[in-house]
Amino acid sequence: MIDLDKEKAARPSLKERFHTWMEGEQDMYLGELEMKPPKNAPGQTDETVQETAQKAAENASREKLRQQIPEGILNTVESTDRLVPTGRRLLKVAFDKAYPVLATVMCIAIVALLLVTVSWMPPFGSADNPASNEVAQRYIEQGLEETGAVNIVSGMILDYRAFDTLGESNVLFIATIVVMILMRIDSKEEKEKLSAEEAAYTHKKTLEPEHDTILRTVAFLLVPMLLIFGIYIILCGHLGPGGGFSGGAVIGASLILYANAYGFQRMEKLFTAKTYKVVSFCALGFYALAKSYSFFTGANELESIISTGTPGRILSAGLILPLNICVGLVVACTMYSFYVLFRKGGY
């Protein structure tokens, strides 16, 4: 049981409170009068003033608590309260001290590894360099005959090094999936949290842009031309400069322009999250299966049913044309998906 007499005796008297006020430890009028914040003393910064005010507030809170709780109970509470923050504080101090050391060691190790790797590289301009060996010579001299592609770069990345290009396309696909996981906010749970006012504001600001006659007229004229130009770049990638990456970037830009001009609601009638998943999966799956067959027959010296055709024609270069189409679809979908995710958090 709490002894009321001892509790009353533990409270400071009027004389003690007046003395406390005179010493400046506690202002009895604090919160009672409208006051302006005092100016900093010479040599005193804003951080020092804030720390002093915080300590004064903590002292006032403890003093008020001391008036209401007996001393034995208060000591127990204070000792328990100090244990937890102190442990966390020590852990944070240890982490802050160890982090720069570990980061420095890691940077030194990476720099040393890179320096060792560079030291093993052949001298610049040497005839033994990979850029000067028989591989590049093979691409130039026999690339047209073996791949059927007039564009040597397309023949190299989509025939000789097609699995490397497959890895790059998969990187785009994985990057989009990761961004979708991290930034997507249009799930059912998130929609339920939004109030009607917030939902209307979000719909106005992110889904439907304001009607802009100039923007919509320009988009109406440019989007069809950009789509045709992107398709042309993809289909003629084995005949001249271009290919799936550049053509897909042009198509992705046209989709972004259309969404900016006409809004996401009209765009989602054509392109949704399901569209992206289906197109990317089919394109990457066809790419992997087609080149697996091509590499299997080539490695085992088997005759392939895929002909290189007549160089210079649109239907030539074997698998390079359909592979360019697959890469272009993945790139276009990835560009538009990134824009949608960063703009409104989902489809």
Side-chain angles (χ1 to χ4, degrees), residues 92-103:
K92 184 178 182 301
V93 170
F95 177 78
D96 291 341
K97 290 183 178 180
Y99 180 79
V101 177
L102 295 176

Side-chain angles (χ1 to χ4, degrees), residues 35-66:
M35 296 181 291
K36 295 182 179 180
K39 296 182 179 180
N40 297 347
Q44 194 176 25
T45 62
D46 293 338
E47 296 180 356
T48 307
V49 173
Q50 292 179 358
E51 291 178 359
T52 305
Q54 186 177 0
K55 290 181 180 179
E58 292 178 357
N59 293 335
S61 177
R62 290 185 178 277
E63 186 64 28
K64 184 177 180 180
L65 188 64
R66 191 179 296 278

Side-chain angles (χ1 to χ4, degrees), residues 21 26-39:
W21 174 71
Q26 184 180 1
D27 189 355
M28 65 175 59
Y29 295 108
L30 187 63
E32 301 294 335
L33 298 177
E34 183 178 357
M35 296 181 291
K36 295 182 179 180
K39 296 182 179 180

